Amino acid sequence: MNGLRVIPTWRHGRERLYVCLPDGRNIAWYDREAARVNLLGQDREDDVLRALGPFITGPVTVGPPPVPTPAELARLALHPDDDLAPNRPGEALVVALDRDPGPTHRLRPDPRRRALAAEQTVGDALDRLDGAGWHALHSVPLPGGDRIHHLLIGPGGLYAVHSLHARRQRVRIADPMITLGRRDPYPLLHRVRSDADRASYALTAEVRPVLALVDPATLSVPTAPREVQVLTAAEVEGLSRRGGVLKPADVEALHATARDRNTWTRV
């Protein structure tokens, strides 16, 4: 035995196996997803590989840690209060309901809770794309109290996704109006397009508007809306099949810019 210990940890949703000296200092780590062993010193490479032997499957790259990209450096320099990446789906509604839960007993359910359920459903679907080179940000704040429900960034481009609770309701869309059940129609598509336009301005990149409906009973769209894609929550993961628009470095740079709260202060 060479006295080295292997300790598994999770960082940003990815498993790493750290190789530590008896005094606890790290001398290497194995990133399973990248199939890479990062050495902090070359003098104990053989010992490190022997310690990691039972955990390594398939070929791996061995060498010093890669130099951080500009996007990674920008993320590391970002103050935690300005980082939007930790936002949960529906973060703004979660905070609002914590501050003001509303009456304990009411005749009708609080519409904020239905809206929150919709954002959580769509947000969870978008978060599942993270391992495929995509990033999702939630509750992106805009001046004036507005916000973008979800911003999806990946190889297939950028999408501003607006979630709408439509459970067991008939939905009819006649641009820019949307009708839920027996309610009066209202021009929601103006809002959906506006969110995408403001995101395009902030990021200096094309952002496409998407309306995601959660559990509609039926959906009627006689004429496709201008620019806006209308999907159900079950279909939003299909956005990940679109590619050929952005290179990985561009995706990371846009994500680093978008997660900074200061990016959105003047849009």
Side-chain angles (χ1 to χ4, degrees):
M1 297 296 289
N2 53 31
L4 300 182
R5 293 182 299 155
V6 177
I7 300 176
T9 63
W10 288 84
R11 290 175 60 86
H12 310 298
R14 298 174 64 169
E15 184 183 18
R16 283 185 177 180
L17 297 173
Y18 281 90
V19 182
C20 303
L21 294 169
D23 63 4
R25 286 180 296 150
N26 297 326
I27 61 171
W29 72 87
Y30 170 40
D31 187 331
R32 286 185 187 272
E33 187 171 328
R36 180 181 177 85
V37 176
N38 297 280
L39 299 170
L40 298 180
Q42 300 293 326
D43 56 322
R44 301 201 63 173
E45 177 178 341
D46 292 341
D47 290 341
V48 166
L49 292 178
R50 276 196 294 272
L52 287 172
F55 306 96
I56 293 177
T57 56
V60 296
T61 302
V62 181
V67 176
T69 65
E72 290 170 332
L73 291 173
R75 182 180 71 246
L76 293 171
L78 190 60
H79 190 282
D81 290 344
D82 292 328
D83 191 356
L84 300 177
N87 278 8
R88 298 161 291 180
E91 181 77 24
L93 288 171
V94 171
V95 173
L97 286 165
D98 284 344
R99 290 175 177 172
D100 177 19
T104 305
H105 302 287
R106 53 189 306 160
L107 295 177
R108 294 182 179 180
D110 190 328
R112 296 178 299 171
R113 298 191 182 278
R114 291 197 298 266
L116 174 59
E119 290 189 43
Q120 289 174 332
T121 298
V122 174
D124 289 345
L126 295 175
D127 283 340
R128 287 195 288 271
L129 305 181
D130 185 64
W134 293 77
H135 300 288
L137 297 172
H138 308 289
S139 281
V140 176
L142 300 174
D146 293 331
R147 62 190 175 87
I148 297 171
H149 290 180
H150 319 278
L151 182 67
L152 182 65
I153 304 171
L158 294 88
Y159 300 89
V161 183
H162 187 95
S163 303
L164 182 64
H165 185 277
R167 184 172 176 79
R168 298 179 181 176
Q169 298 184 76
R170 296 189 302 271
V171 180
R172 177 179 174 82
I173 296 177
D175 194 2
M177 311 301 285
I178 182 167
T179 306
L180 291 177
R182 298 180 179 180
R183 302 182 202 173
D184 292 335
Y186 63 107
L188 178 62
L189 297 191
H190 283 329
R191 159 77 186 279
V192 177
R193 278 191 284 262
S194 175
D195 287 349
D197 288 344
R198 295 173 78 176
S200 296
Y201 179 82
L203 300 173
T204 62
E206 181 184 9
V207 179
R208 302 171 186 173
V210 176
L211 175 62
L213 303 169
V214 177
D215 295 333
T218 61
L219 173 61
S220 172
V221 188
T223 303
R226 177 176 57 87
E227 300 175 348
V228 179
Q229 298 178 67
V230 179
L231 306 173
T232 64
E235 295 171 333
V236 296
E237 290 186 59
L239 294 171
S240 67
R241 291 193 286 271
R242 305 177 187 184
V245 177
L246 296 175
K247 298 177 181 178
D250 295 329
V251 171
E252 296 304 319
L254 284 164
H255 180 235
T257 300
R259 67 189 293 173
D260 185 350
R261 186 182 301 273
N262 297 299
T263 298
W264 306 95
T265 56
R266 297 182 180 179
V267 297

